[in-house]
């Protein structure tokens, strides 16, 4: 059977950015637009462990979660035809970041701290890092610390006050530009 060649800017794309910027939602729609598979890294870890991310943090600790995350990244970068939505801290790890940047285009999604707080608190208890007295201040502090790291991504798109389709369209356009620039 002849192999079907579908024109697309990349066959492996990962999405990074702070929690609540829309990585899962945008990732799912981006995968559909590029005719690729979609994997949300946190859901992948949950399926493999049988535990929710908050339970992993609560019972095993963040260090154990980061080890699982690193193992999952190593496993998934070997796959093709994939849009991978990363957890907010995945790209912060230097080893993960190097592997992902080398593997294919990394798209950083951005949103304001206020937008992030509004989105991240829709499901109370789901965000272990926001279980603090002043979550907005925590978001601002973490976002500021992670900003230079997220800026290492190949493509950058804001999700603030925008429809999913609009963001996906911009991501696809920028991925094509990235692919064109990479051609010898």
């Amino acid at each position: 059977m002849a192999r079907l060649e579908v024109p697309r800017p990349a066959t492996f794309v990962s999405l990074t950015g702070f929690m609540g910027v829309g990585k899962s939602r945008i990732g799912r729609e981006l995968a559909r637009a590029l005719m690729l598979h979609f994997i949300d890294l946190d859901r992948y870890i949950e399926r493999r462990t049988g535990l929710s991310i908050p339970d992993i943090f609560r019972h095993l600790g963040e260090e154990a979660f980061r080890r699982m995350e690193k193992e999952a990244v190593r496993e998934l970068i070997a796959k093709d035809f994939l849009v991978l939505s990363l957890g907010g801290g995945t790209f912060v790890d230097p080893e993960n970041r190097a592997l992902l940047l080398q593997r294919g285009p990394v798209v950083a999604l951005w949103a304001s701290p206020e937008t992030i707080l509004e989105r991240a608190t829709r499901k109370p208890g789901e965000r272990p890092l926001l279980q603090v007295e002043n979550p907005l201040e925590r978001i601002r502090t973490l976002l500021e610390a992670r900003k230079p790291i997220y800026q290492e991504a190949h493509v950058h798109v804001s999700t603030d006050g925008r429809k999913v389709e609009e963001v996906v369209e911009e991501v696809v356009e920028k991925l094509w530009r990235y692919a064109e620039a990479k051609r010898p």
Side-chain angles (χ1 to χ4, degrees), residues 5 10 19 24 50-51 53 58 72 78 90 110 113 116 126 128 134 145 149 154 157 166:
E5 285 299 321
M19 71 177 87
S24 297
L51 295 169
I53 301 300
R58 192 174 311 116
T90 309
W110 298 88
I116 289 168
E126 293 258 327
N134 187 341
I149 294 166
H154 302 108
V157 177
E166 197 182 313

Side-chain angles (χ1 to χ4, degrees), residues 41-113:
L41 188 62
D42 285 351
R43 301 300 77 80
Y44 183 80
I45 292 168
E46 287 177 338
R47 278 193 305 276
R48 295 203 43 207
T49 62
L51 295 169
S52 70
I53 301 300
D55 282 346
I56 293 171
F57 269 76
R58 192 174 311 116
H59 301 295
L60 304 173
E62 184 174 357
E63 194 178 311
F65 172 73
R66 297 297 173 200
R67 273 195 315 274
M68 292 174 203
E69 188 177 57
K70 197 175 280 205
E71 188 181 306
V73 166
R74 272 190 243 122
E75 194 177 302
L76 292 169
I77 62 166
K79 304 214 179 291
D80 220 345
F81 304 103
L82 180 65
V83 171
L84 177 61
S85 170
L86 305 172
T90 309
F91 198 66
V92 174
D93 178 90
E95 191 179 317
N96 288 340
R97 186 165 62 253
L99 290 170
L100 291 158
L101 286 167
Q102 186 180 353
R103 176 62 180 94
V106 177
V107 176
L109 298 178
W110 298 88
S112 70

